[in-house]
Amino acid sequence: MINNSTINRFKKVVGDEYVLTSKEELLSYSYDSTAGVDSVVPKLVVKPGSTEEVAEVIKIANEEEINVIPRGAGSNLCGGTIPVENSVVVVLTRLNKILEIDEENLTATVEAGVITVDVHDAVEEKGLFYPPDPGSMSVSTIGGNIAECAGGLRGLKYGVTKDYVMGLEIVLPTGEIIEVGGKTVKNVTGYDLPKLYTGSEGTLGIITKAILKLIPKPETHKSMMAIFDELDGAAETISSIISNKVVPVTLEIMDRVTIKTVEDFANIGLPTDAEAVLLIEVDGIEEVVERDAKKVIKICEEHGARQVKLAKTDEERDDVWAARRSALSALARMKPTTILEDATVPRSNIPDMIRGVNEIAKKYGLQIGTFGHAGDGNLHPTILTDERDKEEMEKVHKAVEEIFDIALDLDGTLSGEHGIGIAKAGFMAQELGEDGLQALRNIKYSLDPKGLLNPHKLIGDGSNE
Amino acid sequence: MSKILKEVEEEVAKCMKCGLCRAVCPIFSELDNEATVARGKVNLIENVNSGELGLTDKYEKLMELCLMCKACVANCPCGVEVDKIVLKAREELAQDKGLSMIKKGIFSVLQNKFVFPLGMKLGSIFQGLAFSKNDGPQPGNNPRVSVGLDRRRVIPDLAEKTFKEEFPEVVKVDNPKARVAYYTGCTVNYIYPEFGESVVNVLVENGIEVVIPQGQQCCGTPVRIYGDTKTAKKLAQTNVEEFAKHNDVDAIITSCSSCGLALKEEFEEVLGTSPELKEFSDKVYDIAEYLVDVIDFDREGLGAVRRKVTYHDPCHLVRGMGVSEQPREILEAIPGVYFEEMDRPDRCCGSAGSFNLKYYDLSMDINKHKIEDIKQTGADTLATGCGACKMHISDGLNQAGMDQEIVHTVQLLDEAYQKRKVNREKKSKRAG
């Protein structure tokens, strides 16, 4: 339990002003961006200002047996930063320095609390590029991105966060500080801990610093919008683009419900009778971009696109992406509560996945719009509902379960980029099997014997104690 | 749930807690405390609604920490009007706890037709007693003693003659193209009458007759945003009645962003909608908006104004009234003006009415970013469309040792018209 003497121990480490104890402030760290998961009020919030302070905080938590919830911006969508019983929230936003951009080794060394978009801006100023671009990048922290292995719109060509983490500084659940990986492209010394910690959702320790891989900034890009009357035409186009050896940086799909909602909301001239819209961007050096764009247009037309628009200016490019950018806003404005799923299937199974989701929507009488990263199979079925309507929420939970079922039937996975957290922990065995899940638990408890770091997340409630 | 909060229940439910407000909230940027960001405030209000949290002092303070800058609203994927939610929370607090004594004093003076003008008048005569001339680069005064004002501050001179004393009730022109009523607002009337002078000059130059209703009063924003709906209602009512005396005008012109928004939108929120009020609101235009969108102002042969200018978007003009292109179009039309856009011109300057009285240090921390952005442009002149912004930015510039002149956009247009007149006179002399 947390009494005054414990609070004073934390204050001694981080300073009085960085320990929050008022009811109002504790309530403010009881939730994150996840819908449909109950908030839990922590006992305390501490904001350490250095790796050493994080380590000291963890040591106190160990001695006093207090659960530790690491938190960046609290913008995740899996309940990953929602506190649990008897917990202290450790906020890492004070660790907000970009320490180095190394143009010779193409790396950026940053503290965990740096905002993602600040990394983008800083490296792009030097002609470099850090591709992961999750929807929350204007507020999310790099530490949070790594803990959740955040994805984004550029995953198809450039991969996701785990493809850009070369080294980490970590405070272990028992308070030791370790550094793993580094600036070398090749490194086979020991287990690949940077990869293990990327996507570990704060269950194995607290990430305090990262060495990120950078690449040269692509010279130029071209964007297109293709409109389809048949879902199959759009799906065949996706597969055909890839099999024709073009890898677009972004290949997004919006289904009929999404198109209609976006058009009603933004009036940007989308055809509301279309079955699907594909938004495609190719990038690279100019000659290749020209050639790829032509190829893509041809492929779209061959597979029955009613119309293909190529953006000729930056303004036209903005128009193309305005449609995609307003997708979530438009859907979210329809109803008070927006449940954003991210079941992911091999890209060849996308039409079956969309059809399956549509059937579930019909079965439960729910409004579900689907859009997402068609190129990498990562879809966002978005359920529009009202949390206050208990009856409908029951249906929503059933629908979500069925969405997971189809995704797994189609050789997919529960989550492409949002993470498991507390929201999907109960479904883990379904995908991994009991033995698979047990293997994860074994890793967790060998590093965190008391199970204090972000308990119940990812691996659920089963313990090894 | 209280009756007051009930009015915003649906608005509160719309927030999906995505947290994108963290990117734009000026207060959160300084304090890095989730309880101060829009998402956090909505969550606290939900907890008050559910009975989990009472109307505590801490909650009251957190609700005070909002600039009403609407940055979160503009950036919100769900379009949640957080400012309106916070207003309701303040209204409930004011009703439950009463307004704090200082504010009560100010607010009751504001609504008094005679006491407020008289106080401001006496203030202009005796200001030398309480204030010493500022010796920094910006014009104005520093408080001699701390009278609820930070002694570092630069407070502008009160005008010796108020704007309304200086101008007749009707400024006539021959064969007017249109007739407008001008709502001056308090900052123009008492502090920056030169703003108003330029408004009248450019309107007259464009053949527009200007009525300045003498009985107009404070728009009520300073009291409304702290939950004193009762006083706000009275002020709104008086103003609507005063302008109804001149209901033959084609438009109602404002030159202060917060007043403009009050007349355009918030009177309806305070008084409730009615056909008469709708007719009134529909006539309201910011001066820049009116010049560009309605009358397509005269740009023939404008005289050159040789200045490097940057522009600050007042929150209630850009996000409130949706006016941002028009002032830039005016500036671009003036020969000699070299316009340089600053980084994030629409970021709040931190003034936020009386917020900067109670939270001076925080408001200056917010202000510092604006000062830095102005500095980066290398401009010698800052144009804007709000007197309160001018006051606060002037203070910041002074403390940074910067001497940029702050003007209302129309002052530069006025200058260009004056120069045109001189040029034309010279020309006709030469011809003669």
Side-chain angles (χ1 to χ4, degrees), chain B residues 3 83 154 169 182 184 220 252 261 288 307 319 375 387 392 412:
Chain B
K3 218 178 114 198
D83 56 335
V154 197
E169 185 152 24
Y182 177 33
T184 68
I252 296 165
L261 183 63
R307 291 177 189 244
R319 288 179 290 274
K375 194 176 187 175
H392 200 55
L412 296 179

Side-chain angles (χ1 to χ4, degrees), chain A residues 20 22-25 27-35 39 41 47 71-75 91 93-94 115 135-139 141 265 328-330 332-333 335-338 386 388, chain B residues 9-10 13-24 28 31-37 39-41 43-44 47 51-54 56-59 62 73 75-80:
Chain A
L20 312 181
S22 73
K23 184 174 183 184
E24 294 77 6
E25 286 166 313
L27 281 168
S28 302
Y29 291 84
S30 67
Y31 59 82
D32 58 26
S33 298
T34 316
S39 55
V41 185
K47 300 165 83 177
R71 181 180 173 110
S75 56
V91 179
T93 49
R94 286 178 68 208
I115 309 280
S136 56
M137 64 188 178
S138 66
V139 297
T141 63
F265 166 62
L328 181 58
S329 300
R333 283 171 199 235
K335 289 274 192 89
T337 308
T338 309
D386 188 339
R388 297 167 296 181
Chain B
E9 187 189 1
E10 286 309 307
K14 266 161 65 182
C15 172
M16 61 172 181
K17 309 287 187 305
C18 69
L20 292 188
C21 40
R22 290 171 62 105
V24 293
F28 175 75
L31 301 178
D32 185 26
N33 185 325
E34 178 79 21
T36 64
V37 81
R39 169 173 77 164
K41 292 195 176 93
N43 172 66
L44 287 175
N47 276 285
E52 178 63 34
L53 183 67
T56 60
D57 290 349
K58 180 101 183 173
Y59 168 74
L62 288 164
V73 181
N75 197 48
C76 178
C78 304
V80 180

Side-chain angles (χ1 to χ4, degrees), chain A residues 199-252:
Chain A
S200 64
E201 300 190 2
T203 61
L204 304 179
I206 295 187
I207 296 159
T208 48
K209 203 186 285 179
I211 300 173
L212 304 173
K213 175 175 135 178
L214 306 176
I215 58 175
K217 191 165 185 246
E219 234 172 61
T220 184
H221 42 68
K222 271 204 184 316
S223 297
M224 289 145 277
M225 179 193 286
I227 297 156
F228 291 87
D229 292 324
E230 304 285 338
L231 194 56
D232 287 325
E236 285 161 17
T237 303
I238 297 164
S239 305
S240 180
I241 289 171
I242 307 288
S243 60
N244 272 281
K245 314 289 184 287
V246 177
V247 183
V249 53
T250 303
L251 209 181
E252 300 283 304

Side-chain angles (χ1 to χ4, degrees), chain A residues 52-83:
Chain A
E52 290 68 30
E53 286 184 12
V54 174
E56 288 307 310
V57 165
I58 297 286
K59 279 179 196 158
I60 297 171
N62 256 278
E63 285 166 25
E64 311 266 354
E65 306 223 335
I66 304 165
N67 294 315
V68 173
I69 313 296
R71 181 180 173 110
S75 56
N76 74 89
L77 294 166
C78 64
T81 48
I82 294 179

